[in-house]
Amino acid sequence: QVQLVQSGAEVKKPGASVKVSCKASGYTFTGYYMNWVRQAPGQGLEWMGWINPNSGGTNYAQEFQGRITMTRDTSISTAYMELSRLRYDDTAVYYCVRLDGYKYYWGQGMLVTVSS
Amino acid sequence: SYELTQPSSVSVSPGQTARITCSGDVLAKKSARWFQQKPGQAPMLVIYEDSERPSGIPERFSGSSSGTTVTLTISGAQVEDEADYYCYSAADNNHWVFGGGTKLTVL
C-alpha cells in the first residue's frame, strides 16, 4: 500500500532553514508528482509547490519563491522540501501529498516550530 | 493569484441540511474538490470534479457548481460530520488553491 513517511518534528530559530523529508513506498516513486502543503496551528491549508520526481522539475507557489527548494533522491524514494529564512509564522505542520486522479495520499505531517 | 472564498463557519442542527459555498474566478474554468478535516487528522476528499463522490463517502455529501461558485451540501448532517471543510481547485500549471476553510458545527 502507498505510504508516505515524514521526518520527525523540529524546532528552529528565526532565520534558520529546515529540510523536511518524505519517504515513499508502495508505488513507483518517479511516477507521481509530490506536492507539499502546510497548515499553521488553527489555520487553513496552504499549498507550497510540487516536484516531479522523475525529472526533478519543480513549481513553487508565489508566496515561497526564493525561500523554498524541493529536491528528491530517487535511489531511496525520498522527496525533500527545504524552507529557508524561517519566520515565526512558518510554524506549521508540513505535509507531503501524492495525488493519483482523485486519490490523495498524505504523509503523517511534520511539525516545524520556529522559536527563539 | 487565484483566491477561493468560503464562509468561516456554518452551524446546523443534526438532521438539517448544511450548505457550504466557495467562490472564486478560477471556478469558472476549473472544477473544485472538497476536503473534510477533523482535528489531528489529515484532510480527506469528500467531493471531486464539483459533484463526484469518492467511494466510501456517504450519499448525504453532494456538490454542485454554478458559474464561479461551488457548493458542498450535507443532507441530514450528523454529529460526526462536524469538521473543517476546504474547497480546492487546481489553477493553471497545476498550482493548487485552497479556500480558507469553513468550520461546520452540528449541534
Side-chain angles (χ1 to χ4, degrees), chain B residues 4 7 12-13 19 21-24 27 32 38 45 53 64 67 72 86 88 91-93 96 101 105-107:
Chain B
L4 295 175
V12 297
S13 299
R19 293 182 179 85
T21 59
C22 172
S23 300
L27 300 177
K38 296 183 177 180
L45 188 73
R53 198 172 47 250
S64 61
L72 172 69
Y86 296 90
Y88 141 80
D92 297 336
N93 201 18
W96 294 7
T105 302
V106 183
L107 60 84

Side-chain angles (χ1 to χ4, degrees), chain B residues 9-10 47 60 90 99-100 102:
Chain B
S9 63
V10 168
I47 293 289
R60 62 180 180 273
T102 299

Side-chain angles (χ1 to χ4, degrees), chain A residues 63-105:
Chain A
E63 294 81 354
F64 300 100
Q65 292 279 357
R67 286 208 301 144
I68 192 170
T69 304
M70 294 180 187
T71 57
R72 89 293 189 216
D73 184 338
T74 57
S75 68
I76 56 172
S77 299
T78 300
Y80 302 93
M81 187 285 299
E82 184 170 20
L83 191 62
S84 63
R85 302 195 300 278
L86 289 169
R87 309 184 296 245
Y88 292 112
D89 62 1
D90 289 319
T91 294
V93 174
Y94 290 77
Y95 294 99
C96 54
V97 188
R98 194 207 103 176
L99 172 61
D100 179 6
Y102 64 85
K103 294 181 180 179
Y104 291 79
Y105 300 91

Side-chain angles (χ1 to χ4, degrees), chain A residues 35 37 39 43-47 50 59-63 95 97 99 101-102 104 106-107, chain B residues 1 33 35 37 41-45 48 54-55 86 88 93-100:
Chain A
N35 285 265
V37 173
Q39 187 169 35
Q43 301 300 309
L45 302 168
E46 184 175 24
W47 178 76
W50 53 251
N59 199 337
Y60 304 141
Q62 182 69 29
E63 294 81 354
Y95 294 99
V97 188
L99 172 61
Y102 64 85
Y104 291 79
W106 296 73
Chain B
S1 62
R33 299 180 174 189
F35 287 100
Q37 187 181 33
Q41 298 182 16
M44 179 178 69
L45 188 73
Y48 67 100
S55 60
Y86 296 90
Y88 141 80
N93 201 18
N94 280 323
H95 278 226
W96 294 7
V97 181
F98 287 102

Side-chain angles (χ1 to χ4, degrees), chain A residues 14-49:
Chain A
S17 297
V18 67
K19 191 170 186 177
V20 184
S21 67
C22 173
K23 183 170 177 58
S25 62
Y27 71 99
T28 302
F29 177 66
T30 53
Y32 299 88
Y33 286 28
M34 190 69 76
N35 285 265
W36 291 86
V37 173
R38 77 175 185 179
Q39 187 169 35
Q43 301 300 309
L45 302 168
E46 184 175 24
W47 178 76
M48 303 180 74

Side-chain angles (χ1 to χ4, degrees), chain B residues 1 4 6 16 29 31 39 55-56 59 61 65 72 74 79-80 102:
Chain B
S1 62
L4 295 175
Q6 301 178 231
Q16 288 188 328
K29 52 182 180 178
S31 64
S55 60
E59 291 184 6
F61 288 87
S65 173
L72 172 69
I74 307 173
V79 173
E80 60 261 35
T102 299

